[in-house]
Amino acid sequence: MIRFLANILMDRPRDYEDPGVRRVYGMLCGAVGIALNILLFAAKYLAGLLTHSIAITADAFNNLSDAGSSVITLLGFKIAGRKADSEHPFGHGQAEYVAGLIVAIVIIFMGFDLAKTSVQKMFTPEPVEFSVVSTCILGASILVKLYMWLYNRSISKKIDSAAMGATATDSLSDACATLAVLVATLIAHFTNVNIDAYAGALVALLILWGGYNAAKDTITPLLGRAPDPELVRRIRAIVKEYKEVIGVHDLIVHEYGAGNLMVSLHAEVPADGDMNELHDVIDTIEQRLKTELHCHAVIHMDPLDTNDSLVGETRVKVQDAVRTALDAPVSIHDFRMVTGPTHTNVIFDAVIPNELSISDEQARKEIVQAVSKLPGHYNAVVTIDKPYLGEEMP
């Protein structure tokens, strides 16, 4: 159904990286979610009245909260689609993550409330009446929620949406919760063993687990996460297509909502190259990154002496010494040499893994000491740098 509606509403429904396409998918899934959850609430509430089941009634209100969550998701995508303004120069894309976090909080509160009610019913149980109608409603509800899980998960992967991923997780936990309620209803009918309150508690635990995972998935991008390795690979591939670019370092991806990326990097270029020609190449690369990857790029040119073999050989020796001293995959860049009458200053940035147990200052001291032991009277002038790609990449 989602694909059918998408083909009606959009000219290019498969251009998942386009912000407009993402927004339509998000709002479309939100609208369908609202409609289905309201229908499920009405049906389950009726089933709860017929059977006097706390678990079924609680499950019904869980679907009502899901409808509210879908409203929040829909509004989140709508706000995220607003253009940049003077107060938000990078757009409103983070609203999508905020919406996902609100959904997760609503899920968690619903789980706690249901857990409280279920525990109370354990001490004051009420008889549960069996109804064929309610059993069929529960069975149909499971199928509907599995369908919602499938389409939300599929769309979340295609448009890379944490909010849609949270909704998918919630739909799956709802299906499991309703299955637990259905099993409890059948057990009560065929064995006269009333486990309605315990089924409600199980539903609460599943809801809480789903809320926790949804919160984790939405908080991560809000705090700032490492970029997708495939995106990093594509950025590097485009930049290094040009023969004028010798190397790439200090690549940072700033995310202001899915589909709203700012990229900055340093491109090493020949120090003896024509400045105007190199500048034109860099402009071309920035434009390609914007056109092909939908990201705004700022590229800094780092001149590299490609004619001095001593510089290249020394750089390799220094990097090997640094990696041995720290016993870590440290990389160096912006390497320069300044020769004096008594010693040679080697100036460079060292990218230290975040997992290294020692402090940056201690790492700097060990690097200086390791370089000083190399033959040639070298003195290291080091700037400690950090990787922003999640893991250091060559």
Side-chain angles (χ1 to χ4, degrees):
M1 181 170 63
I2 298 296
R3 182 177 300 177
F4 172 74
L5 294 174
N7 288 329
I8 294 176
L9 297 173
M10 292 180 283
D11 295 330
R12 296 175 290 109
R14 296 184 183 277
D15 188 5
Y16 302 116
E17 294 182 353
D18 182 83
V21 172
R22 294 188 73 261
R23 183 169 63 256
V24 172
Y25 269 116
M27 296 179 67
L28 181 60
C29 290
V32 172
I34 293 170
L36 292 177
N37 278 309
I38 289 177
L39 287 175
L40 289 176
F41 163 73
K44 287 183 183 178
Y45 187 71
L46 174 62
L49 292 177
L50 292 174
T51 61
H52 306 290
S53 168
I54 180 62
I56 296 178
T57 303
D59 201 22
F61 279 98
N62 180 37
N63 289 140
L64 184 61
S65 73
D66 290 341
S69 299
S70 294
V71 172
I72 296 171
T73 302
L74 190 152
L75 291 176
F77 273 96
K78 186 174 180 61
I79 295 172
R82 290 180 180 175
K83 295 182 179 180
D85 52 40
S86 58
E87 295 184 355
H88 306 90
F90 297 104
H92 300 77
Q94 297 282 37
E96 180 185 332
Y97 302 139
V98 174
L101 181 58
I102 294 173
V103 169
I105 293 173
V106 170
I107 293 170
I108 291 172
F109 272 106
M110 180 62 66
F112 276 118
D113 186 63
L114 175 56
K116 177 183 176 181
T117 303
S118 298
V119 170
Q120 292 173 345
K121 289 297 181 181
M122 290 179 186
F123 295 99
T124 57
E126 296 180 1
V128 177
E129 298 180 11
F130 179 78
S131 168
V132 175
V133 174
S134 64
T135 303
C136 293
I137 289 174
L138 292 176
S141 173
I142 294 171
L143 296 178
V144 170
K145 278 296 181 178
L146 287 176
Y147 166 69
M148 294 176 68
W149 167 63
L150 288 172
Y151 80 69
N152 279 304
R153 185 184 65 165
S154 175
I155 297 301
S156 71
K157 290 181 177 180
K158 289 175 180 176
I159 67 174
D160 188 25
S161 170
M164 294 297 301
T167 303
T169 300
D170 184 37
S171 297
L172 181 60
S173 67
D174 286 346
C176 294
T178 304
L179 177 61
V181 174
L182 177 60
V183 170
T185 300
L186 294 175
I187 289 176
H189 175 64
F190 290 107
T191 67
N192 292 322
V193 177
N194 189 348
I195 60 171
D196 183 56
Y198 297 94
L202 178 60
V203 170
L205 291 175
L206 291 172
I207 292 172
L208 288 171
W209 178 248
Y212 164 76
N213 286 318
K216 181 177 67 174
D217 290 341
T218 52
I219 288 175
T220 296
L222 284 172
L223 292 178
R225 59 182 172 183
D228 180 3
E230 175 60 20
L231 173 65
V232 173
R233 186 197 67 76
R234 293 174 66 186
I235 292 172
R236 287 181 176 273
I238 289 175
V239 176
K240 297 180 78 171
E241 275 186 27
Y242 297 82
K243 64 180 186 302
E244 293 84 358
V245 177
I246 302 170
V248 177
H249 61 264
D250 282 350
L251 170 57
I252 304 176
V253 179
H254 312 265
E255 184 176 356
Y256 298 97
N260 187 9
L261 304 176
M262 294 284 293
V263 173
S264 61
L265 62 91
H266 289 208
E268 296 173 346
V269 297
D272 58 354
D274 182 272
M275 182 59 64
N276 289 327
E277 292 181 1
L278 293 175
H279 188 270
D280 183 66
V281 169
I282 295 301
D283 279 348
T284 301
I285 296 173
E286 289 176 343
Q287 187 58 42
R288 278 194 62 189
L289 291 174
K290 182 177 181 180
T291 302
E292 297 180 22
L293 302 183
H294 302 284
C295 60
H296 299 278
V298 178
I299 301 178
H300 171 77
M301 290 191 297
D302 274 340
L304 190 65
D305 191 347
T306 58
N307 297 320
D308 192 336
S309 59
L310 178 61
V311 173
E313 293 172 0
T314 306
R315 174 174 176 161
V316 173
K317 293 179 182 178
V318 170
Q319 177 156 293
D320 289 343
V322 170
R323 288 182 172 179
T324 300
L326 298 181
D327 190 25
V330 179
S331 65
I332 64 175
H333 57 80
D334 288 339
F335 188 88
R336 307 187 303 280
M337 294 175 59
V338 179
T339 303
T342 59
H343 66 276
T344 298
N345 282 335
V346 287
I347 308 165
F348 58 91
D349 293 357
V351 183
I352 307 298
N354 291 314
E355 294 75 18
L356 203 64
S357 58
I358 61 177
S359 67
D360 291 354
E361 180 58 25
Q362 183 60 38
R364 190 191 67 78
K365 290 180 179 179
E366 292 194 19
I367 290 174
V368 170
Q369 184 178 12
V371 172
S372 67
K373 295 179 180 179
L374 294 173
H377 303 288
Y378 294 114
N379 174 60
V381 181
V382 188
T383 298
I384 300 299
D385 204 354
K386 291 291 184 179
Y388 295 99
L389 303 178
E391 58 179 290
E392 182 56 22
M393 301 180 68

